Amino acid sequence: MHPLTNEIMASREWRVRELENLKKVGTLALNNYAPKVKDQYYRMCIPYIYAHWEGFVVESFKQLISYLNGLHLDKKQVRNELYSFSLQDVLKPLAGKQSFEQTCQFVEKFTRDYDKALYIDPTLLTAKSNLNYKQLTIILEKFGMENCLTKYQSEINQLVNQRNRIAHGENGITVEYGNISRKISMLQEIFDIMILKFEEYLTVRMYLR
């Protein structure tokens, strides 16, 4: 097992423990809490589950960025997706209309940094606090990583939509225990699939051309 995969697995383990504890309290709430308190607790679970979903994805990919930066890779050897990702801030002045002076500034910075090793600014990675399926796909594309979560598209979007509605103060949402349990089981499956994908990406060195 690649050392970085072990780190990602450690992140998975503590998150799964917390989610399982959430489910245990949910079982107690099912039988012992007054209906209003129970409904409130289940609604509160959704943002908590979402936090672990976004947290796992963002943390894992930032660890991958740190690992890739530490390799000091030749830009000519890495995937186009990674090189393009590293240039996101550099390319911004070329978006829309730009003056000749801005174009010259871009060329100067591009040529100055061209022969340096690949470096990806970790702050370039963001889920925009809204890690739906589309945003996940964008993140995977930046690394040239295959999307292995297509069958979870609707469930991921449902989690994000519920979380957003609850976070924006909607109190008419009904969340049942079965809904909480299914979402936690889904995340455990997703974490495992992503860990396998990270292991393949690292051991086969899929970050190279």
Side-chain angles (χ1 to χ4, degrees):
M1 189 74 73
H2 194 281
L4 179 56
T5 310
N6 285 327
E7 292 181 33
I8 295 170
M9 286 178 65
S11 174
R12 178 229 186 252
E13 292 307 312
W14 76 264
R15 292 180 188 282
V16 166
R17 280 197 302 272
E18 290 210 353
L19 289 168
E20 284 295 326
N21 287 336
L22 194 75
K23 197 159 61 172
K24 287 176 184 176
V25 177
T27 306
L28 293 173
L30 189 64
N31 300 313
N32 299 305
Y33 289 6
K36 285 188 177 180
V37 177
K38 179 180 66 177
D39 292 345
Q40 182 181 4
Y41 174 76
Y42 289 154
R43 282 198 303 274
M44 288 166 55
C45 287
I46 297 297
Y48 190 87
I49 293 170
Y50 173 83
H52 278 296
W53 157 239
E54 181 179 317
F56 178 81
V57 172
V58 171
E59 180 185 2
S60 298
F61 278 101
K62 286 199 172 182
Q63 286 177 308
L64 178 56
I65 288 173
S66 179
Y67 172 76
L68 294 173
N69 286 342
L71 294 178
H72 305 292
L73 296 165
D74 186 335
K75 292 171 182 171
K76 294 184 279 295
Q77 295 179 337
V78 301
R79 305 182 66 112
N80 285 334
E81 295 93 339
L82 277 176
Y83 188 22
S84 301
F85 181 28
S86 73
L87 291 173
Q88 272 192 268
D89 275 349
V90 179
L91 294 171
K92 276 183 181 178
L94 297 183
K97 294 181 179 180
Q98 65 278 332
S99 66
F100 182 70
E101 181 183 358
Q102 289 174 310
T103 305
C104 290
Q105 289 171 353
F106 163 77
V107 171
E108 180 184 358
K109 180 171 177 54
F110 184 83
T111 53
R112 185 179 67 240
D113 295 344
Y114 181 74
D115 290 327
K116 293 181 181 179
L118 177 78
Y119 176 77
I120 301 171
D121 184 347
T123 62
L124 291 175
L125 181 78
T126 175
K128 299 183 178 179
S129 299
N130 196 45
L131 189 56
N132 55 24
Y133 183 79
K134 180 180 179 181
Q135 191 64 33
L136 173 67
T137 301
I138 291 171
I139 291 174
L140 293 170
E141 286 175 348
K142 292 179 189 298
F143 293 84
M145 193 176 285
E146 178 191 0
N147 192 337
C148 52
L149 299 174
T150 52
K151 75 172 186 176
Y152 297 98
Q153 179 174 355
S154 62
E155 293 171 278
I156 290 170
N157 286 339
Q158 184 190 61
L159 170 62
V160 176
N161 290 337
Q162 283 189 328
R163 174 262 188 182
N164 289 344
R165 291 173 64 192
I166 291 169
H168 290 137
E170 291 189 36
N171 61 3
I173 300 171
T174 301
V175 180
E176 298 179 350
Y177 173 75
N179 187 273
I180 298 298
S181 181
R182 284 192 298 275
K183 281 178 170 52
I184 290 174
S185 296
M186 175 194 73
L187 282 197
Q188 291 178 9
E189 290 177 18
I190 288 176
F191 291 170
D192 289 341
I193 292 170
M194 291 188 69
I195 285 169
L196 290 174
K197 189 54 63 178
F198 273 108
E199 176 67 6
E200 179 188 19
Y201 190 85
L202 291 162
T203 55
V204 184
R205 299 199 298 176
M206 295 174 68
Y207 45 83
L208 300 179
R209 289 182 185 271

